[in-house]
Amino acid sequence: MKSTGKVYLVGAGPGDPGLITVKGLDCIRNADVIIYDYLASPAFLKYAPEHAEKIYVGKKGGDHTLSQDRINALIVEKAKEGRVVTRLKGGDPFIFGRGGEEAEVLVAAGIPFEVVPGVTSAIAAPAYAGIPLTHRDFTSTLAFVTGHEDPTKTNSSIDWASLARGIGTLVFFMGVKNLPHITRNLIDNGMAPETPVGLIRWGTTTRQESVFGTLENIVERVKAAGLKAPSIIVVGNVVSLRSSLNWFENRPLLGKRIVVTRAREQASDLVKRLTDMGADCMECPTIQVIPPKDWGPLDAAVNTLSTYDWIVFTSVNGVRFFFRRLFETGYDVRALHRLRTACIGPVTAQTLMGFGLKTDILPENYRAESVVDAFRNENIKGCRILLPRAMEARPVLPVELTRMGAAVDEVTAYRTVQARENADQLVEELKSGAINMVTFTSSSTVRNFKALLPEKEPLARMMNGVTVASIGPITSDTARELGFRVDVTAATYTVPGLCDAILAHYQTAS
């Protein structure tokens, strides 16, 4: 008989994935089952073990995939199978999260559990909107209130008189639909009509938007802005501090929906940089980096490293896959002790340095032609050069080095194949006009991106209003050959250079 498992009721935070607790992440990493809500960021699922079962239970306003009773039963069922269950809930599980009800069910079923608190949106959304909920010059009292109460109820469970006259800052959850009811009750019970009010939608995320006013005009302003749930409502004089403390919504790319087509294992730096500037990134990796079909040619090169004079790395992947195979075949970095090295790009050089080797040649420009130019200062006639890189890479480097008298062995260290992750979502968002920009970091990302688009739809129509940003001229040339209009080409052919070019583009446009 299987022993009973354990349940962790985990607060996932308000939306920004960076605001989950360290313990919350540990619970995800160690889970056998993850049961998650609409407001719990899907970004957390990448931390789950491969074997973990992931179950989405909805809990979106008016649209519940499962009722609360069925969610309770599901948690109990999975725990009784002897599994570790992480129940991932938006915000904090014990603040209007019905975590208390789920805990009571677990107690009744004799299932051990722990509660892992989360950052509640009631605190985080105002903070990201530049509103401190308490401030010694304004108030030291604070109340959290549900805004979801039925306005047709004869007797309200909310003491409106005490809230209106006795609390300095009020924070309402889930109250957009009932905003007229909330403002009317506060004014009717003595709160000044000119009291500042702010509504923050999708607080802490790159989709955050805010509307501000007073008790007497906020309903009209929210209606005019078309602001909808999920939103937090803040009422009180501290809202006036927003004008001087707004820090999050001033970021230059806020609200821009940008597609990142890079392979997932390499996309994190680009996604982080764009997100830090406010962009809403959609990861749609168009390529997947995999080993070659046959390790034989690379193994042969590894086994005869002592016969080479140079080794040239053209990418981070080339470095990683070369050293992976070097170690797998029983060697270590000492096998390269007499070789000189060249790298394309500072990131490639940094990756090589991570294995204890400093590159001898690092050209100023990050393309094959620049490596060729750099070698003109070296006497490589009669030298043997190993070039471990992607299958079907551009021929310019081996051709030109051979012309200079070197014997070049080009071996496949890895392959890139097409990926289709999030392809359906990508097409849907392009058709709806939700995408502002698509980024390309290599010619293969361009080719594979185009292959994801429906053949029957004209490219110009699919990309209408979409800005195309490229990491460099080679990638831009490929994009133009395939029918794309390239709006941004990085002057420095790196991820930081691409981000700088994107930022400059939007700053110029504004």
Side-chain angles (χ1 to χ4, degrees), residues 231-425:
S231 298
I232 288 291
I233 303 170
V234 186
V235 182
N237 289 325
V238 289
V239 175
S240 63
L241 292 167
R242 147 78 176 200
S243 58
S244 58
L245 301 183
N246 180 25
W247 61 274
F248 183 75
E249 293 177 31
N250 288 335
R251 296 186 301 170
L253 301 186
L254 189 70
K256 302 297 183 184
R257 181 73 161 153
I258 300 181
V259 176
V260 174
T261 57
R262 211 173 198 199
R264 181 168 293 283
E265 58 269 23
Q266 293 180 288
S268 58
D269 185 30
L270 178 55
V271 170
K272 184 180 186 305
R273 287 175 182 273
L274 293 174
T275 301
D276 286 347
M277 290 189 288
D280 177 15
C281 289
M282 176 186 178
E283 291 190 58
C284 186
T286 60
I287 61 173
Q288 182 181 1
V289 183
I290 61 175
K293 293 180 179 179
D294 179 12
W295 284 112
L298 183 57
D299 286 351
V302 166
N303 287 321
T304 58
L305 280 175
S306 61
T307 67
Y308 289 98
D309 301 287
W310 287 85
I311 184 168
V312 178
F313 294 106
T314 61
S315 69
V316 168
N317 287 321
V319 176
R320 289 174 177 167
F321 276 85
F322 172 82
F323 279 95
R324 167 182 164 179
R325 199 58 184 169
L326 181 76
F327 299 151
E328 288 175 349
T329 50
Y331 296 95
D332 59 31
V333 293
R334 289 175 296 180
L336 288 83
H337 73 283
R338 61 177 299 277
L339 273 72
R340 299 187 70 189
T341 58
C343 289
I344 294 182
V347 179
T348 304
Q350 289 169 11
T351 305
L352 181 63
M353 191 64 185
F355 291 98
L357 293 175
K358 183 178 180 180
T359 187
D360 295 292
I361 290 181
L362 181 63
E364 293 183 5
N365 293 320
Y366 316 131
R367 53 194 299 188
E369 289 84 350
S370 298
V371 176
V372 173
D373 290 339
F375 266 107
R376 298 193 192 283
N377 298 321
E378 303 285 341
N379 181 14
I380 61 172
K381 188 173 183 178
C383 290
R384 292 193 70 199
I385 299 177
L386 178 61
L387 182 58
R389 59 179 187 164
M391 185 175 67
E392 299 180 353
R394 293 173 66 228
V396 60
L397 191 53
V399 168
E400 293 300 323
L401 293 178
T402 300
R403 286 178 179 170
M404 295 167 67
V408 180
D409 285 347
E410 182 181 8
V411 295
T412 299
Y414 64 95
R415 294 178 292 148
T416 58
V417 296
Q418 184 171 0
R420 293 195 57 85
E421 186 178 344
N422 296 331
D424 292 341
Q425 181 186 353

Side-chain angles (χ1 to χ4, degrees), residues 41 49 64 86 138 230 323 385 434 507:
S41 174
H64 292 192
T86 292
F138 291 88
F323 279 95
I385 299 177
Q507 287 178 332

Side-chain angles (χ1 to χ4, degrees), residues 492-504:
T492 303
Y493 318 146
T494 62
V495 165
L498 177 58
C499 292
D500 289 343
I502 291 170
L503 178 60

Side-chain angles (χ1 to χ4, degrees), residues 163-225:
L163 290 179
R165 295 195 294 269
I167 305 296
T169 304
L170 304 175
V171 181
F172 291 87
F173 291 74
M174 304 168 291
V176 176
K177 288 184 178 179
N178 286 342
L179 184 60
H181 172 73
I182 292 169
T183 56
R184 184 173 61 254
N185 272 292
L186 291 174
I187 291 173
D188 288 349
N189 283 276
M191 186 171 281
E194 61 272 16
T195 302
V197 181
L199 275 77
I200 306 104
R201 186 178 192 230
W202 290 118
T204 77
T205 75
T206 52
R207 291 182 288 170
Q208 177 172 312
E209 55 181 322
S210 305
V211 177
F212 294 89
T214 65
L215 282 176
E216 60 185 347
N217 65 22
I218 192 64
V219 172
E220 290 77 13
R221 292 191 175 187
V222 167
K223 183 177 180 180

